[in-house]
Amino acid sequence: MAEGMILRVVSDGPVTDEELAEQARHLKDHLNQLPGVEATEMAAEAEPGTRDRVNFIFGVLALSVFAVPTVRRAAADIRHLAEVIKRYQERNTDTRLRMTLPDHTEIDVQDVSEQTLTEAITSASATQRGTPTRPPKNDGE
């Protein structure tokens, strides 16, 4: 697995691998519209003992969040990123989103508040980039 944050689309019912992959692509497209965020599909090698030894997509996204702007990338609005992830989870009730942070902590997106998700992404993206963390601004500040 890649270093960084991983978003996994997991089925709560009978969903095919193709449907999971399609839902992950849909989420990836939404995430890639956000400034400072880069989501890419991940592939995994087929299980040992199976006939198909080629790589396949199974609903997993690698998520890069740029905490510090560069010449080519803006800093991510992490609060907006968390909102997009939570809204996606609310619309797709037949699947769950699980986020794995760089320290291997796993978060079930359905079970946490948007604020908690924002704080986790902020902490993980700052740690990954070696930059100090800043708490997200609250409305009215």
Side-chain angles (χ1 to χ4, degrees):
M1 289 267 158
E3 301 250 346
M5 289 178 277
I6 306 295
L7 264 178
R8 187 175 278 113
V9 180
V10 180
S11 171
D12 276 346
V15 177
T16 66
D17 288 342
E18 291 80 17
E19 290 170 321
L20 285 178
E22 182 61 33
Q23 288 189 12
R25 281 187 210 103
H26 184 68
L27 177 58
K28 177 190 73 155
D29 292 342
H30 281 275
L31 295 172
N32 282 331
Q33 292 176 9
L34 299 172
V37 175
E38 186 176 295
T40 55
E41 291 178 272
M42 293 182 66
E45 193 170 304
E47 293 294 319
T50 61
R51 286 194 223 177
D52 185 9
R53 298 294 298 162
V54 298
N55 288 347
F56 64 98
I57 303 295
F58 60 100
V60 178
L61 301 175
L63 187 64
S64 297
V65 179
F66 302 99
V68 178
T70 64
V71 174
R72 301 178 91 186
R73 293 186 174 103
D77 179 353
I78 294 173
R79 189 172 56 175
H80 191 193
L81 169 62
E83 180 182 323
V84 168
I85 292 171
K86 286 297 287 184
R87 297 305 160 260
Y88 179 87
Q89 177 67 81
E90 290 168 2
R91 284 191 312 273
N92 296 283
T93 57
D94 58 336
T95 58
R96 288 183 172 268
L97 289 177
R98 293 206 175 113
M99 177 178 280
T100 304
L101 302 176
D103 67 358
H104 304 289
T105 300
E106 191 167 293
I107 298 171
D108 190 329
V109 172
Q110 195 171 40
D111 295 338
V112 298
S113 69
E114 194 173 306
Q115 180 178 353
T116 300
L117 184 60
T118 299
E119 291 167 0
I121 295 170
T122 299
S123 177
S125 65
T127 301
Q128 186 179 6
R129 304 285 176 265
T131 58
T133 58
R134 278 190 291 163
K137 286 180 69 176
N138 292 328
D139 289 339
E141 281 189 347

